Amino acid sequence: MTPAQTVVIPAELARRLRSAQRVVVLTGAGISAESGIPTFRDAMTGLWARFRPEELATPEAYLRDPKLVWDWYAWRRSRVEAAEPNAGHQALVELESRVPEFLLVTQNVDGLHARAGSQRIVELHGNIMRTKCFDCGRIAGDAKPQGDAIPPRCAHCDGMLRPDVVWFGEMLPAEALGEAMRASTESDVFLSVGTSTVVEPAASLPFYAWRGGAVVVEVNPDATPLTPQASFSLRGSAAAVLPQLMAAAFPERS
Ligand code: OAD
């Protein structure tokens, strides 16, 4: 249970969110931290503090040692399968139901937003529960190794299957990125939740919104490179702050 973190929601922010027509939310690993999924860059606990991304999250690493990489993603999948969406994920489901135009852009590959009930989702970095062929690119759903064939093989071309996530040095899905950039530029209110705002191109989306005249709101226990530009920076965890933001903007809800 998230310890009680009460944050002050400025009345101007509540008013702007309540009257917003177009809202975009960008999420990062921080929103899933309270569901037990490690972030990437938090000291000690973050994945990149314990594992070397160049050994596990690049196409070269996969060709070098497919079993090492496959097993690491199998471990991460087991953490995702054991996790449940938290109050932060659920608050965004409710926000989606209250604003005319809404888009949830996530860097997370855990699928917890969809499991919470969010509809309008763009997965910028893919989804760890899906696999695709390393050679022909065909999506192979939630392929599980048959016997000791690790990694499993593609039914079409017999290529190695890999997690359907974006690895370092790889391009993001163009259509997803285009939709995220357009919606961010046209947004009235842009929420940046649980992201360190350092990995491009996702880290530029709040600045597209800012240049488009949106109210840019950051939700994060710590400051990030976005903080100086943010219209409002709410210091606290996603599961604690987002329900309070909803209660302030939509008092009739409870
Ligand atoms: P990071 O681990 O870089 O940042 C997580 C952020 O969440 C930090 O700023 C924390 O302060 C904050 N945080 C921690 N706990 C929180 C909580 N309970 N509520 C709210 N915020 C919290 O993760 P991302 O920004 O998502 O990319 O990383 C971006 C990308 O870098 C990932 O998608 C992944 C990684 O390499 C790829 O794999 C392509």
Side-chain angles (χ1 to χ4, degrees):
M1 180 61 195
T2 308
Q5 293 167 45
T6 305
V7 292
V8 177
I9 306 292
E12 172 61 11
L13 168 55
R15 191 183 66 72
R16 295 293 294 265
L17 185 57
R18 183 180 180 79
S19 60
Q21 296 302 306
R22 291 180 294 276
V23 173
V24 172
V25 180
L26 172 68
T27 64
I31 196 168
S32 295
E34 291 153 290
S35 295
I37 299 179
T39 67
F40 291 90
R41 290 177 186 80
D42 282 349
M44 311 302 289
T45 59
L47 290 173
W48 299 152
R50 292 184 280 158
F51 306 98
R52 296 160 54 83
E54 58 277 10
E55 280 173 15
L56 293 159
T58 67
E60 297 75 21
Y62 199 50
L63 290 173
R64 213 171 29 243
D65 192 339
K67 184 171 181 329
L68 174 75
V69 174
W70 181 272
D71 288 348
W72 186 65
Y73 277 91
W75 167 73
R76 288 183 57 194
R77 282 157 63 113
S78 65
R79 301 286 301 264
V80 167
E81 283 164 338
E84 290 299 329
N86 61 57
H89 297 102
Q90 281 136 15
L92 296 180
V93 173
E94 191 197 339
L95 179 56
E96 180 172 3
S97 71
R98 290 188 174 277
V99 293
E101 278 186 54
F102 178 90
L103 189 68
L104 176 51
V105 179
T106 189
Q107 299 167 86
N108 300 345
V109 296
D110 57 32
L112 288 183
H113 286 301
R115 280 171 53 191
S118 289
Q119 304 295 316
R120 299 265 302 130
I121 306 171
V122 168
E123 293 180 316
L124 283 181
H125 294 164
N127 188 308
I128 202 170
M129 303 312 288
R130 276 195 315 264
T131 56
K132 66 180 179 184
C133 178
F134 190 89
D135 297 337
C136 73
R138 276 187 180 83
I139 299 288
D142 182 8
K144 293 263 188 310
Q146 304 308 321
D148 50 14
I150 292 182
R153 312 301 291 196
C154 172
H156 295 279
C157 76
D158 199 40
M160 290 192 300
L161 293 182
R162 53 162 285 177
D164 182 19
V165 299
V166 174
W167 279 335
F168 287 96
E170 294 186 321
M171 303 291 284
L172 272 61
E175 205 185 314
L177 182 58
E179 185 181 5
M181 290 161 89
R182 180 195 54 71
S184 300
T185 305
E186 295 171 0
S187 62
D188 301 325
V189 173
F190 185 101
L191 300 182
S192 181
V193 180
T195 180
S196 55
T197 325
V198 294
V199 174
E200 294 293 353
S204 293
L205 295 173
F207 298 92
Y208 280 88
W210 186 65
R211 276 195 295 275
V215 170
V216 175
V217 184
E218 179 180 59
V219 177
N220 195 312
D222 301 328
T224 74
L226 175 63
T227 304
Q229 253 77 38
S231 322
F232 301 95
S233 224
L234 306 176
R235 285 280 159 271
S237 79
V241 172
L242 292 174
Q244 292 177 58
L245 178 59
M246 290 301 296
F250 306 98
E252 74 283 4
R253 67 202 263 278
S254 36

